[in-house]
Amino acid sequence: MHTRSLRGLLGRIRRGGLTVEAALEKLRDLPYEDLGFAKIDNHRELRRGFPEVIFGEGKTVPQIVAIVARIARRGQPVLITRVSEETFRRVRAEHPTARYHADARSITVGVRRGRGGGRPGILVLAAGTSDLPVAEEAALTAEVMGNRVEKAYDVGIAGLHRLLAQRGKLRRARVIIAVAGMEGALPSVVAGLVPVPVIGVPTSVGYGTGLKGVAALMGMLNSCSTGLMVVNIDNGFGAGYSASVINSMAKHSRKT
């Protein structure tokens, strides 16, 4: 249940249009709903400002479809990460508004993404083309959470002039997500150029000694650039979510 629905429910009780007993029945599953194989956190939007997101990898298609049905039934937006197009076809059969974002390997249901809409301030950088799936997951997450996202891809440090050509976007950003594999140097360079928070996302892209992203992760964690924080390997969703929280706080701080 989202805040607007809860306010409406309380208003109906105050006006006498709904009994306390009827309201309690509507709120019975508010903390969470137990499906046996999953406990859906219906309270998360009230606590965190956005409903629970479904991590699709490792779940069966029937499990995903069942979870989506419960979340969508409450009028909440649905985001499913790390899923195939086949899973999307099964979800869309039950939810015609479902949309597959192939580059991000994600599904959204009941999400309206108006062109140019949302809070400005988030910039997503990708070092190389091979990093795009993780970068797109980060960008989609931030957009679904109400942000307008700028992007600059294939701007890794092997050709530093490509990054420096993005000065306008770097100056406009309130928070930057920098996605990189191999040695993971891009976030360190970016953090040394801008006065805003930078979120480093190591990817599993690279050759043998890259250790499937461990080398990039360690490089980012050992950076001497200040203002750089790091999420887990390939965790585009975590970066997009964190960037949205930071961007929202930056917007509110300017109003006060």
Side-chain angles (χ1 to χ4, degrees), residues 130-142:
S130 297
D131 301 309
L132 291 192
V134 176
E136 282 293 301
E137 182 181 273
L140 176 65
T141 300

Side-chain angles (χ1 to χ4, degrees), residues 65-66 68-69 88-98 109:
V65 170
V68 170
F88 163 67
R89 285 192 285 268
R90 296 281 295 275
V91 170
R92 188 176 58 179
E94 302 293 332
H95 304 276
T97 64
V109 180

Side-chain angles (χ1 to χ4, degrees), residues 35-123:
L35 303 184
F37 58 85
K39 293 179 175 61
I40 303 174
D41 185 359
N42 296 322
H43 200 266
R44 190 166 303 184
E45 185 170 6
L46 290 174
R47 298 194 321 270
R48 301 284 295 146
F50 195 79
E52 185 170 18
V53 172
I54 304 169
F55 180 68
E57 194 171 295
K59 293 182 176 65
T60 67
V61 174
Q63 287 172 343
I64 291 173
V65 170
I67 295 170
V68 170
R70 297 307 198 281
I71 297 175
R73 186 179 64 187
R74 295 177 176 274
Q76 294 179 322
V78 180
L79 172 61
I80 315 162
T81 63
R82 303 298 174 90
V83 285
S84 66
E85 194 164 356
E86 173 59 29
T87 300
F88 163 67
R89 285 192 285 268
R90 296 281 295 275
V91 170
R92 188 176 58 179
E94 302 293 332
H95 304 276
T97 64
R99 181 181 173 190
Y100 188 59
H101 308 267
D103 290 339
R105 301 169 297 179
S106 300
I107 301 170
T108 55
V109 180
V111 174
R112 294 173 183 162
R113 298 167 65 204
R115 182 173 294 178
R119 296 182 299 269
I122 295 179
L123 172 62

Side-chain angles (χ1 to χ4, degrees), residues 146-160:
N147 302 275
R148 185 162 73 244
V149 177
E150 288 196 278
K151 304 174 185 177
Y153 292 165
D154 198 20
V155 292
I157 66 159
L160 198 55

